[in-house]
């Protein structure tokens, strides 16, 4: 007979971090099923399911590029690639958090009636979004490789915008996964207690969208505000882990770019940028550890929501 | 009866802090951010040992702590204090319809529940036919659960629970579900589980079920045990008491 003891010490609020990770590993099949279910629900209702979720950011990026290049006038060759390169990880960040936020409510019926590690619920939505993000990023990278070849066939010299350092992308991807997971663990619990949290998160993400380098180049800050004051603001801006990660995504993938409305090219991935990436990785690790700890203190109270 | 108890509770207490905000920020702000909570003591020092193969019926009035105890055994809550040891896997049927998701199909819910209850995906696939067959839901298995009647949901819940390898079956309220012929099927299966030396812990207000299925009955009152023993005797005393104090 398989024995599974559920001894609980008096007044124990939950398990240690190591115990909860072991428990997660034991329930890995359940994670697989939850992820499968989410992906299926997302792509079920249309034959072009995955294609549509690629087309949406693409249309958004093309519209923006069109607007900027025609209205501001620009010498950038690959502005849309630059925007898309940060847009895809941004969408993983924002959609991941927005999906995870009501996730405990979504599975509340199960939480009230059966035991399983509750972390799996927000994690499954993060994983489903990660798979989606990896797929769209792969399509994007293939596009960057194929497009110059098409130009080459038409007689132009091949000019690859993609850098070999794109092989280092798993580093910022890891950071982003940690960051999204950590925030999701907090937000999912808060949304269960206060359903308004979902709308608050949505608003905060809309603000955050403009506080990180998706639509513009952070070097513009230094250009607009010269001197030590600009440097300070730039440094503070880059200490946001999401800024550090999105910048790494761009600079590892793409050649330096002439910024719109200026003749100055962006900086390549240098020592400073690696420094900011390292800080972002550390901050993200800290956030995920805090998130797991917070979830552990809360998880036994989830089913007691009156 | 030399075997170690499969469920062992010592001085088990469970308190609930009921928040009066009900998940709304507005209500919280309007109440001036004061923490308005009410403490409910559902269990106040319960001692109970259940041995493998026993079918224990919990009887008692509403609010006596029966369902709370079942939920604690099913690891839905953590005890406030005291100890509870459960030495086996648990298949809980708490309230109607087990832990189903209304938007998922019958088949998806079978997979989800089977895996939650400790089966592998391969094992669930293997048993799926038999689960659907027992629940008599062949034509509905690909429809979302919200289209099922409550009887159909209850049948599916019961069927999934008895097809797992859990050593302990927890049943709250509906021991035998569905129409009369289905209920007989449930009772047959429960007898079979008892012969397989599985442990059943159930809450019932049907005294005929208590005496028919239970090998032992526990009468609970205000979070404690009032009487523990032979089902027929416990039911007699319980009913007599219920008539005297309305």
């Amino acid at each position: 007979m398989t024995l599974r003891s559920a001894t609980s010490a008096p007044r124990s609020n939950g398990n240690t971090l190591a115990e909860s990770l072991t428990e997660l590993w034991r329930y890995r099949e359940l994670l697989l099923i939850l992820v499968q279910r989410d992906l299926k629900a997302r792509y079920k209702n249309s034959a072009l399911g995955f294609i549509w979720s690629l087309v949406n950011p693409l249309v958004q990026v093309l519209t923006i590029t069109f607007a900027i290049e025609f209205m501001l006038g620009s010498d950038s060759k690959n502005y849309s690639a630059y925007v898309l390169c940060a847009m895809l990880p941004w969408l993983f960040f924002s959609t991941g958090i927005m999906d995870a936020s009501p996730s405990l409510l979504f599975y509340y019926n199960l939480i009230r009636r059966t035991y399983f590690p509750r972390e799996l619920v927000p994690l499954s939505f993060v994983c489903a979004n990660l798979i989606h993000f990896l797929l769209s990023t792969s399509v994007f990278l293939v596009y960057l490789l194929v497009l110059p070849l098409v130009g080459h066939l038409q007689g132009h010299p091949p000019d690859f915008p993609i850098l070999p350092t794109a092989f280092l992308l798993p580093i910022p991807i890891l950071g982003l996964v940690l960051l999204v997971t950590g925030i999701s663990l907090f937000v999912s619990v808060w949304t269960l207690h206060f359903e308004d949290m979902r709308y608050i998160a949505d608003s905060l993400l809309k603000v955050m969208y403009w506080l990180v380098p998706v639509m513009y180049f952070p070097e513009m800050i230094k250009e607009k505000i010269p001197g030590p004051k600009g440097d300070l603001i730039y440094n503070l801006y880059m200490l946001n882990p999401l800024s550090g990660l999105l910048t790494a995504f761009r600079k590892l993938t793409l050649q330096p770019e002439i910024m719109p409305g200026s003749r100055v090219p962006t900086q390549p991935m240098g020592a400073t940028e690696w420094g900011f990436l390292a800080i972002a990785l550390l901050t993200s690790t800290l956030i995920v550890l805090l998130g797991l700890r917070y979830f552990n203190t809360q998880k036994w109270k989830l089913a007691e929501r009156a | 009866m030399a075997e170690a108890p499969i469920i062992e509770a010592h001085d088990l207490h469970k308190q609930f802090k009921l928040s009066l905000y009900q998940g709304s920020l507005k209500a919280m702000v309007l109440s001036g951010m004061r923490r308005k909570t009410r403490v409910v003591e559902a269990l106040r020092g319960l001692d109970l040992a259940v041995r493998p193969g026993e079918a224990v019926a919990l009887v008692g009035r509403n609010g006596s702590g029966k369902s709370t105890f079942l939920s604690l055994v099913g690891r839905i809550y953590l005890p406030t204090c005291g100890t509870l040891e459960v030495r086996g896997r648990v298949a809980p049927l708490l309230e109607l319809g087990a832990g189903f998701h209304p938007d998922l199909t019958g088949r998806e819910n079978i997979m989800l529940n089977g895996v939650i209850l400790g089966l592998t995906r391969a094992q669930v696939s293997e048993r799926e036919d038999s689960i659907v067959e027992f629940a008599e839901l062949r034509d509905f298995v690909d429809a979302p659960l919200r289209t099922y009647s409550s009887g159909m949901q209850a049948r599916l819940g019961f069927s999934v629970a008895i097809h797992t390898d859990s050593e302990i079956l927890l049943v709250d309220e509906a021991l035998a579900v569905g129409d009369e012929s289905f209920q007989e099927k449930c009772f047959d299966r429960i007898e079979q589980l008892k012969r397989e030396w599985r442990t059943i812990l159930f809450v019932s207000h049907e005294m005929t079920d208590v005496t028919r299925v239970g090998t032992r009955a526990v009468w609970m009152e205000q979070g404690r045990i009032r009487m523990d023993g032979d089902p027929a005797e416990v039911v007699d005393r319980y009913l007599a008491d219920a008539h005297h104090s309305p």
Side-chain angles (χ1 to χ4, degrees):
Chain A
M1 187 163 70
T2 325
L3 296 185
R4 190 160 96 192
S5 148
T7 320
S8 20
R11 298 226 175 259
S12 151
N13 274 334
N15 320 30
T16 65
L17 193 60
E19 277 167 357
S20 74
L21 290 177
T22 322
E23 187 81 337
L24 282 181
W25 176 245
R26 231 182 32 187
Y27 277 83
R28 58 192 180 277
E29 286 235 335
L30 180 58
L31 179 65
L32 211 72
I33 288 182
L34 293 175
V35 172
Q36 234 173 26
R37 192 218 67 82
D38 187 48
L39 288 174
K40 224 163 83 183
R42 185 178 311 212
Y43 301 137
K44 184 161 65 178
N45 297 325
S46 65
L48 293 175
F50 174 64
I51 311 257
W52 281 124
S53 39
L54 269 186
V55 167
N56 288 340
L58 204 64
V59 168
Q60 204 179 341
V61 167
L62 286 178
T63 320
I64 292 157
T65 313
F66 180 83
I68 297 231
E69 288 191 359
F70 277 77
M71 284 151 79
L72 296 178
S74 156
D75 296 324
S76 20
K77 289 173 293 183
N78 277 309
Y79 184 69
S80 53
Y82 248 78
V83 173
L84 200 56
C85 192
M87 180 72 85
L88 296 177
W90 162 261
L91 282 175
F92 167 49
F93 178 81
S94 61
T95 323
I97 291 172
M98 283 314 287
D99 279 1
S101 159
S103 60
L104 291 170
L105 280 172
F106 187 73
Y107 282 114
Y108 200 63
N109 219 15
L110 266 80
I111 291 172
R112 253 176 54 206
R113 295 192 172 99
T114 51
Y115 170 77
F116 58 90
R118 277 54 170 121
E119 294 92 332
L120 285 179
V121 169
L123 282 183
S124 72
F125 284 88
V126 173
C127 286
N129 276 292
L130 172 65
I131 290 171
H132 181 75
F133 164 61
L134 292 178
L135 282 175
S136 54
T137 301
S138 314
V139 173
F140 173 62
L141 293 178
V142 169
Y143 163 84
L144 287 180
L145 277 172
V146 169
L147 201 69
L149 291 178
V150 175
H152 183 54
L153 289 177
Q154 291 168 340
H156 303 291
D159 179 17
F160 288 97
I162 190 168
L163 292 169
T165 45
F167 284 109
L168 297 175
L169 279 181
I171 300 171
I173 290 177
L174 173 71
L176 196 59
V177 170
L178 295 176
L179 185 63
V180 174
T181 306
I183 296 175
S184 296
L185 288 170
F186 281 105
V187 174
S188 59
V189 175
W190 293 340
T191 309
L192 187 70
H193 293 312
F194 297 111
E195 291 185 32
D196 313 63
M197 194 58 217
R198 201 185 329 187
Y199 305 103
I200 297 174
D202 192 30
S203 297
L204 289 179
L205 282 171
K206 287 203 167 76
V207 175
M208 181 61 99
Y209 180 65
W210 293 102
L211 288 180
V212 294
V214 181
M215 293 309 307
Y216 56 90
F217 299 88
E219 285 93 341
M220 284 172 171
I221 298 173
K222 280 193 192 171
E223 213 187 342
K224 287 275 184 314
I225 314 165
K229 198 176 155 201
D231 286 346
L232 180 69
I233 293 177
Y234 178 77
N235 286 341
L236 284 177
Y237 175 93
M238 289 299 287
L239 283 178
N240 174 354
L242 192 57
S243 298
L245 292 169
L246 293 183
T247 303
F249 269 103
R250 288 174 151 183
K251 291 185 194 280
L252 287 174
T253 314
L254 295 164
Q255 304 257 9
E257 178 68 43
I258 309 282
M259 292 187 267
S262 105
R263 303 239 161 242
V264 189
T266 58
Q267 292 150 4
M269 190 78 186
T272 327
E273 281 73 19
W274 278 106
F276 283 126
L277 177 58
I279 292 172
L281 282 172
L282 279 176
T283 317
S284 304
T285 310
L286 188 69
I287 290 175
V288 82
L289 288 176
L290 288 175
L292 282 169
R293 222 183 67 169
Y294 175 73
F295 203 95
N296 259 349
T297 64
Q298 294 295 313
K299 65 179 173 191
W300 288 104
K301 297 176 194 158
L302 298 178
E304 294 182 23
R305 194 181 81 122
Chain B
M1 288 282 223
E3 217 170 332
I6 191 164
I7 302 169
E8 204 170 359
H10 281 301
D11 192 29
L12 195 62
H13 286 259
K14 180 66 195 170
Q15 298 179 344
F16 291 102
K17 285 193 184 68
L18 294 185
S19 161
L20 304 178
Y21 307 131
Q22 302 277 328
S24 157
L25 197 61
K26 197 172 91 183
M28 185 173 158
V29 171
L30 287 179
S31 69
M33 303 294 283
R34 284 186 305 268
R35 286 200 62 81
K36 278 193 182 174
T37 51
R38 198 160 54 91
V39 175
V40 175
E41 284 194 77
L43 290 181
R44 316 169 187 221
L46 181 91
D47 283 282
L48 185 67
V50 177
R51 286 169 203 286
E54 280 192 300
V56 180
L58 298 177
V59 298
R61 299 175 142 207
N62 288 328
S64 57
K66 309 181 297 291
S67 298
T68 303
F69 180 59
L70 248 58
S71 294
L72 283 169
V73 174
R75 297 185 74 189
I76 310 295
Y77 311 132
L78 220 53
T80 307
C81 59
T83 57
L84 173 66
E85 287 208 42
V86 180
R87 302 184 182 93
R89 282 166 300 177
V90 177
L93 279 172
L94 304 177
E95 301 167 59
L96 194 67
F100 285 135
H101 196 289
D103 295 333
L104 306 188
T105 66
R107 205 185 293 278
E108 288 170 328
N109 269 301
I110 290 172
M111 183 56 84
L112 195 56
N113 265 269
V115 171
I116 286 177
L117 298 182
L119 299 179
T120 63
R121 280 178 303 153
Q123 283 173 321
V124 182
S125 303
E126 238 170 66
R127 299 174 197 193
E128 191 188 87
D129 276 340
S130 163
I131 292 171
V132 176
E133 200 63 52
F134 185 89
E136 299 169 17
L137 289 168
R138 180 136 313 280
D139 299 334
F140 305 94
V141 74
D142 288 311
L145 246 281
R146 67 185 127 76
T147 64
Y148 285 32
S149 70
S150 56
M152 287 158 80
Q153 295 197 19
R155 263 148 53 196
L156 190 60
F158 186 88
S159 185
V160 174
I162 59 166
H163 280 87
T164 62
D165 300 327
S166 309
E167 288 86 14
I168 301 163
L169 178 68
L170 303 178
V171 187
D172 200 344
E173 304 297 343
L175 189 58
V177 295
D179 58 24
E180 268 176 33
S181 78
F182 195 82
Q183 285 185 13
E184 281 312 307
K185 224 164 87 171
C186 292
F187 281 125
D188 284 350
R189 195 50 88 98
I190 289 170
E191 287 308 316
Q192 195 186 322
L193 293 177
K194 282 158 75 176
R195 283 195 300 274
E196 289 169 6
W197 215 238
R198 298 218 229 173
T199 309
I200 302 168
L201 194 58
F202 67 103
V203 168
S204 185
H205 293 289
E206 282 304 327
M207 293 305 136
T208 47
D209 290 359
V210 173
T211 46
R212 178 174 177 179
V213 174
T215 58
R216 176 182 168 192
V218 171
W219 173 9
M220 288 182 65
E221 200 172 71
Q222 295 187 341
R224 293 192 197 90
I225 292 176
R226 166 122 179 225
M227 188 181 169
D228 179 353
D230 176 67
E233 284 174 33
V234 172
V235 166
D236 276 351
R237 291 274 298 277
Y238 173 64
L239 288 178
D241 183 77
H243 286 299
H244 287 134
S245 53

